[in-house]
Amino acid sequence: MTKRSAPDERRTLWIVLLLNAAIAAGFFVTGLLGDSSALIANGVDNLSDTAVYALSLVALTHGKTWKTRAATASGVMLLIFAGGILLDVARRYFQGSEPIGPTMMVMSAIAGVVNYICLRLLQRLKAPDVNLRAATTFSFNDFISNGGIIVAGLLVMWLGSNWPDLVVGLATALIAIKGGIEILRDARAETKTDKDDPDDR
């Protein structure tokens, strides 16, 4: 990483961290008001993203080994988040729920714009390290999930059923599992590189 790129990366991470914190709060509020598993799932997702971006900010001032460990923590956190969402979907499946389609669509549309901005900001960074690549994975997953919620909101309104909301909640968890595995693989590859260059720690 060059001296010039470090401030750019730090500024970008601060921006996406604050945006994700705001979107997480919005998802939680609308998810509770709209009785939506998909919205709450994305709220937890964005909250975990915020924690990951904070780890990435700290990692910018440390060597490769510390950065790799931070990325590993990010991957594990994403897998834990996915497990929590699977449990919530199962609970709503057995206990029932009444999601509000318009609430799902409006909140997801707003979040989609914000997540697209975050994704573009991260993609502009040159030679991103393992933590920045993890951050990009998070933002891409969020953007895809937002589109799914919009479709689910339409189906909820059309069918008068909660199953589209549950399907998107389940899909969000599966996307998170895929992203977590990819981040852990990336971190493992970086670990092998660190062993070849033990002085860069």
Side-chain angles (χ1 to χ4, degrees):
M1 180 191 303
T2 65
K3 292 182 178 180
R4 184 177 180 180
S5 64
D8 292 337
E9 294 180 352
R10 188 173 293 106
R11 181 171 57 253
T12 297
L13 283 171
W14 268 114
I15 292 173
V16 297
L17 185 155
L18 294 174
L19 288 175
N20 272 269
I23 288 299
F27 269 130
F28 283 130
V29 172
T30 56
L32 291 173
L33 293 176
D35 197 18
S36 170
S37 177
L39 290 179
I40 292 176
N42 277 262
V44 176
D45 189 10
N46 278 269
L47 185 62
S48 67
D49 293 354
T50 302
V52 168
Y53 298 142
L55 278 175
S56 299
L57 277 167
V58 176
L60 288 177
T61 60
H62 293 72
K64 284 185 178 180
T65 299
W66 204 98
K67 291 179 180 180
T68 302
R69 289 171 180 169
T72 299
S74 300
V76 172
M77 187 181 302
L78 193 54
L79 293 177
I80 292 174
F81 144 74
I85 296 305
L86 289 175
L87 290 175
D88 182 67
V89 170
R91 179 185 66 81
R92 290 174 183 272
Y93 175 77
F94 289 109
Q95 295 183 358
S97 61
E98 297 180 0
I100 302 174
T103 301
M104 296 170 61
M105 294 169 62
V106 171
M107 183 61 221
S108 186
I110 295 172
V113 172
V114 174
N115 284 315
Y116 179 75
I117 292 172
C118 292
L119 184 61
R120 294 299 298 164
L121 287 172
L122 291 166
Q123 288 176 336
R124 289 177 183 175
L125 296 175
K126 297 180 179 179
D129 63 21
V130 63
N131 283 283
L132 290 171
R133 292 195 296 271
T136 302
T137 297
F138 277 118
S139 290
F140 179 76
N141 289 348
D142 292 342
F143 184 69
I144 295 299
S145 296
N146 296 151
I149 296 177
I150 292 176
V151 174
L154 285 169
L155 290 174
V156 165
M157 293 173 61
W158 180 35
L159 300 174
S161 171
N162 72 340
W163 71 260
D165 177 61
L166 299 181
V167 168
V168 172
L170 176 62
T172 300
L174 295 178
I175 291 173
I177 291 173
K178 179 177 181 294
I181 292 173
E182 289 177 351
I183 291 170
L184 290 176
R185 286 176 177 172
D186 197 10
R188 181 177 297 179
E190 289 288 329
T191 300
K192 293 180 180 179
T193 302
D194 290 345
K195 290 180 180 180
D196 294 335
D197 188 11
D199 293 330
D200 192 3
R201 296 179 182 270

